[in-house]
Amino acid sequence: MQKTALAIDDLTLQAGDREVLNGFSLQLEAAGRLSLTGRSGCGKSTLLRALLGFVPPIRGSIRIFDQELTEDSCWQLRTRMAYVDQEPDLGEGTVDAFLARQFQYRHNRHLRYNLSRLPELFDRLLLPASLGSKELPTLSGGEKQRLALIAALLLERDILLLDEATAALDSEAAGAVFDLLDNYRQTTILAVVHDPFRAAAFGRIVDLGRPQRGEAG
Amino acid sequence: MSTIDIGTGNLALAYLLLALPLALMLWLRLPLISETLIAALRMTLQLLFVGFYLQWIFALNSLPATGLWILMMLLVADLAIIRGANLRFRAIAGPVFVALLIGTLLPLLFFLLIILARPEAMAAQYVIPICGMILGNCLRADIIGIRTFYEALRREEKSYLYSLAQGAMRQEALQPFTRKAFQAAMQPTVSSMATIGLVALPGMMTGVILGGGDPMTAIKYQLAIMIAIYAGTALTVISAIRLTAAGNISGRGRVVVAVFATDGKEGS
């Protein structure tokens, strides 16, 4: 029997001074893959931030592995998810320091040995091994995205939330990312994908731009 | 006490000295003249008021009266911090007051009860000036500390939320901001400690010397007060950050926008 990783029910969110999603519902089984598409401003990024517990719903509910996402549960549920932003803000310091930082958090300490997988992941994502000693502000957008993805994968979370995680990559590097993600068959992945071909190849497509149930039109 | 008093007429002569900078400003056409005059007037009135009040309070020398005066100094400092840090009164006034209380009273009591360790040290004449010196420095440090903290959090909110998304607990995600703010707030005190006495004689020393004290006594007072100030600023800054953060970070870990006095974007 399949477990449900993500159950969104009748969800409406606030984005700035607008309401988005307007009664959106979605189910995603564990280890499932889903591409979110839709015109800009329809609430894709807001939805991912809501799944991380940063945006409280105006209406409706979010359940993650059968647990309702609330002010109290979001702290524990965040440790079951990893997130890659379209323009990651990785802070200052060197690449090595950035990758080590997340393992200083109490919830992640037991995973610090995963850092030994860095050479392999760098290689898979076409990043030079010398990148480790570089300062973060000197990196390109594409390098930052791939680093954020590596950081996310090292955390071995059950759910991966990708917000246009390949937007700044050329097609070769983007291809490398999707090839790598293919190996993570146990991970539930929810990805905002712009390119319709990639979206179709990646998994079930959900268009957030379409009027949802309960919305006129 | 062998301090020479200044007669009223002689003090009036001191104001003649103001003519010199005012003439320079006139010559350079600087729009600072009215500002200088207002500042000079305010200074005169405030100090006269404090002078009369302190005369009365020293003569009275009762602990409740001294305590009330300290309470008033704390409240004035609290307001000055909120204005200086550009944050909202309702969001931080309470926690900042407690932070000032901690940062001022602990070193003050240590100074009076353990360093001076004499019953006379509880006299208003000791308590009020020493308290004022510690509090003044706490005020300056708190402004820098919480201002740096909240400005950085607002500017780098994305990086802060990213730490939370990576599984950081609230304190873990706030740690880099706390460090940055604490360092910025402590830096001036450290710098002044390192150069003290080389350039100008510090205020407290000058006071003890003018009061007829031995220079060595003056130095010992100065050393003790510097350490008290250092400890006090450290205590008050860390308390101000932690206590205000407790009420201004939401249950989900986000910074509550209402803490800021001015909106980062449009509207309010």
Side-chain angles (χ1 to χ4, degrees):
Chain A
M1 198 187 73
Q2 287 282 35
K3 268 205 305 184
T4 305
L6 218 58
I8 298 171
D9 186 42
D10 194 27
L11 188 68
T12 302
L13 297 172
Q14 183 98 31
D17 47 8
R18 295 180 307 120
E19 289 187 5
V20 294
L21 299 184
N22 303 308
F24 173 72
S25 297
L26 172 80
Q27 297 255 343
L28 182 60
E29 71 282 7
R33 259 138 220 248
L34 197 109
S35 306
L36 285 177
T37 62
R39 60 187 156 74
S40 55
C42 70
K44 302 185 295 286
S45 298
T46 310
L47 175 61
L48 295 197
R49 286 210 296 277
L51 292 174
L52 288 163
F54 294 134
V55 182
I58 302 178
R59 274 202 318 279
S61 69
I62 297 170
R63 298 181 72 82
I64 293 166
F65 291 112
D66 275 336
Q67 196 178 351
E68 170 119 30
L69 181 70
T70 63
E71 201 174 284
D72 295 322
S73 70
C74 70
W75 297 90
Q76 191 262 323
L77 287 174
R78 275 175 199 153
T79 66
R80 305 198 62 176
M81 295 181 267
Y83 170 69
V84 180
D85 192 272
Q86 50 185 322
E87 289 169 23
D89 185 347
L90 311 181
E92 291 160 10
T94 65
V95 169
D96 282 337
F98 158 71
L99 289 167
R101 190 163 60 220
Q102 60 182 350
F103 297 108
Q104 287 165 11
Y105 304 145
R106 194 156 47 88
H107 280 303
N108 302 337
R109 263 178 219 155
H110 65 288
L111 297 165
R112 63 187 178 279
Y113 302 107
N114 283 350
L115 281 170
S116 63
R117 294 179 44 212
L118 278 181
E120 173 217 333
L121 288 170
F122 269 47
D123 189 48
R124 291 288 307 261
L125 293 184
L126 316 179
L127 290 169
S130 61
L131 201 67
S133 57
K134 285 228 174 107
E135 291 287 324
L136 292 164
T138 67
L139 301 187
S140 71
E143 287 169 323
K144 283 185 193 167
Q145 279 195 326
R146 279 175 282 174
L147 280 175
L149 179 66
I150 289 174
L153 292 175
L154 291 179
L155 290 175
E156 295 180 356
R157 304 296 201 221
D158 298 309
I159 300 177
L160 200 52
L161 304 172
L162 308 177
D163 193 354
E164 297 194 42
T166 57
L169 302 184
D170 59 36
S171 66
E172 189 192 1
V177 166
F178 283 102
D179 285 347
L180 180 63
L181 290 177
D182 256 352
N183 296 355
Y184 288 79
R185 300 269 42 144
Q186 299 306 311
T187 309
T188 310
I189 306 181
L190 188 66
V192 174
V193 186
H194 228 69
D195 179 345
F197 296 106
R198 292 254 186 248
F202 185 68
R204 173 157 68 101
I205 298 182
V206 171
D207 186 350
L208 287 185
R210 289 247 183 79
Q212 298 292 328
R213 187 166 47 79
E215 190 183 6
Chain B
M1 292 290 161
S2 58
T3 316
I4 307 168
D5 193 20
I6 301 179
T8 315
N10 296 60
L11 180 63
L13 288 178
Y15 282 82
L16 274 184
L17 214 50
L18 265 181
L20 197 70
L22 286 177
L24 277 171
M25 284 171 195
L26 205 62
W27 179 54
L28 291 170
R29 294 173 193 282
L30 291 177
L32 270 175
I33 296 181
S34 58
E35 219 178 300
T36 306
L37 289 175
I38 292 172
L41 186 69
R42 276 192 60 166
M43 169 180 80
T44 309
L45 292 177
Q46 284 166 5
L47 287 182
L48 278 178
F49 168 75
V50 171
F52 284 128
Y53 192 84
L54 285 182
Q55 256 184 349
W56 179 68
I57 223 170
F58 285 1
L60 201 66
N61 198 16
S62 90
L63 216 51
T66 307
L68 213 62
W69 177 249
I70 290 179
L71 186 71
M72 218 189 75
M73 291 203 294
L74 285 168
L75 286 172
V76 172
D78 193 7
L79 290 177
I81 291 170
I82 293 162
R83 217 180 26 231
N86 213 5
L87 297 171
R88 249 190 239 285
F89 178 83
R90 274 177 53 191
I92 65 160
V96 167
F97 183 81
V98 176
L100 280 173
L101 207 65
I102 296 172
T104 304
L105 288 196
L106 283 181
L108 176 69
L109 292 177
F110 192 87
F111 196 105
L112 297 172
L113 300 177
I114 296 173
I115 302 177
L116 293 181
R118 296 265 290 273
E120 309 94 277
M122 291 312 279
Q125 183 198 340
Y126 285 91
V127 177
I128 290 179
I130 294 170
C131 175
M133 289 188 74
I134 301 174
L135 178 60
N137 282 280
C138 285
L139 171 121
R140 188 188 42 71
D142 275 345
I143 290 181
I144 303 176
I146 56 178
R147 191 186 180 129
T148 310
F149 183 75
Y150 286 99
E151 273 179 3
L153 259 182
R154 177 184 249 187
R155 201 176 45 240
E156 297 161 38
E157 194 197 12
K158 200 167 164 183
S159 138
Y160 164 70
L161 293 181
Y162 181 49
S163 324
L164 293 179
Q166 285 178 311
M169 300 301 287
R170 204 178 315 223
Q171 280 316 324
E172 290 173 322
L174 289 175
Q175 180 85 339
F177 299 94
T178 308
R179 286 186 50 186
K180 201 182 291 180
F182 190 74
Q183 188 180 1
M186 294 306 288
Q187 194 62 58
T189 312
V190 181
S191 306
S192 75
M193 228 155 83
T195 56
I196 200 159
L198 295 181
V199 184
L201 285 187
M204 182 164 218
M205 233 179 110
T206 313
V208 176
I209 291 175
L210 286 181
D214 179 66
M216 228 31 223
T217 311
I219 296 250
K220 285 186 272 186
Y221 265 86
Q222 190 62 46
L223 287 173
I225 192 74
M226 281 307 286
I227 294 168
I229 286 173
Y230 193 65
T233 48
L235 273 175
T236 196
V237 170
I238 203 72
S239 315
I241 293 173
R242 294 293 285 262
L243 294 174
T244 58
N248 292 295
I249 306 284
S250 76
R252 291 167 178 264
R254 293 198 68 161
V255 183
V256 176
V257 184
V259 69
F260 298 106
T262 52
D263 210 314
K265 297 160 217 138
E266 22 66 76
S268 62

